[in-house]
Amino acid sequence: MLLGDRCVVHSSFHTDYEPRQYDIVIDPKMAFGTGHHETTALMSEQIMQADLAGRDVLDMGTGTGILAILASMCGARRVVGVEIDPPAYENAVENVALNHVDNIDVRLGDASAIADDTESFDYLLANINRNIILHDIDKYANALRSGGYMQLSGFYTEDSHYIIDEAERYGL
């Protein structure tokens, strides 16, 4: 799977692929995030365009860990991936190891896994459905550093106004 022209995503058993700047190994199991879904591809494009060098990144609903891994490869200093589903969490941990990235902390849990007021991030990624984003946006806002960037996806365009309205309530 090609994401833009700079990233290739493949499983560990695929050998016939064209090398790219970013080479991500994902052995998918029951987790979301192989790059085939449009929201994952769009999120990946934005990550590759962002200046993540030396930044701290939070990936809510990390799934396979694909976005967290890409953020690490794009220069993030530290990445935290949070996943609520135990099998997906285990898959993310495995994929982080497959990609030999050592700056990703994968956590099992929901938004309460980032509720610690001492932890903050420069970038927050959430490729999750509208209802979860709306429910947790207060925690996202609390975890985002002043001047930080929040990249959201996984919802319908016609639902954008709900998310924008709720984000504005928290100064985003």
Side-chain angles (χ1 to χ4, degrees):
M1 172 75 192
L2 289 177
L3 298 175
D5 59 352
R6 298 176 13 188
C7 183
V8 61
V9 181
H10 60 89
S11 63
S12 60
F13 52 83
H14 284 130
T15 57
D16 186 24
Y17 60 89
E18 199 173 321
R20 294 287 192 241
Q21 179 180 359
Y22 304 111
D23 180 329
I24 300 177
V25 180
I26 297 292
D27 279 347
K29 295 184 180 173
M30 296 301 293
F32 183 83
T34 60
H36 286 91
H37 196 275
E38 186 175 348
T39 60
T40 307
L42 290 169
M43 294 283 283
S44 299
E45 284 289 328
Q46 291 298 308
I47 290 168
M48 288 185 281
Q49 293 175 21
D51 177 15
L52 297 182
R55 310 261 191 222
D56 294 329
V57 176
L58 173 62
D59 179 20
M60 292 301 303
T62 199
T64 63
I66 187 172
L67 299 180
I69 293 165
L70 182 58
S72 174
M73 290 179 174
C74 288
R77 173 179 52 188
R78 177 178 74 103
V79 181
V80 173
V82 178
E83 178 55 53
I84 195 168
D85 181 58
Y89 161 80
E90 291 171 15
N91 190 214
V93 170
E94 292 167 359
N95 288 325
V96 166
L98 278 173
N99 286 277
H100 309 288
V101 287
D102 60 2
N103 65 335
I104 299 176
D105 173 16
V106 182
R107 299 178 186 171
L108 178 61
D110 59 12
S112 64
I114 55 152
D116 181 356
D117 287 340
T118 63
E119 191 170 39
S120 61
F121 300 88
D122 302 295
Y123 283 81
L124 187 143
L125 311 170
N127 187 15
I128 310 176
N129 74 54
R130 175 192 88 169
N131 292 337
I132 295 172
I133 291 171
L134 291 174
H135 182 266
D136 293 341
I137 203 159
D138 60 327
K139 294 169 192 72
Y140 300 168
N142 189 51
L144 196 62
R145 290 185 182 133
S146 178
Y149 181 78
M150 185 180 299
Q151 183 178 324
L152 305 173
S153 188
F155 51 89
Y156 296 108
T157 303
E158 56 266 19
D159 290 337
S160 297
H161 67 95
Y162 295 115
I163 293 170
I164 291 167
D165 290 347
E166 193 68 9
E168 287 175 347
R169 288 186 54 210
Y170 295 98
L172 302 171

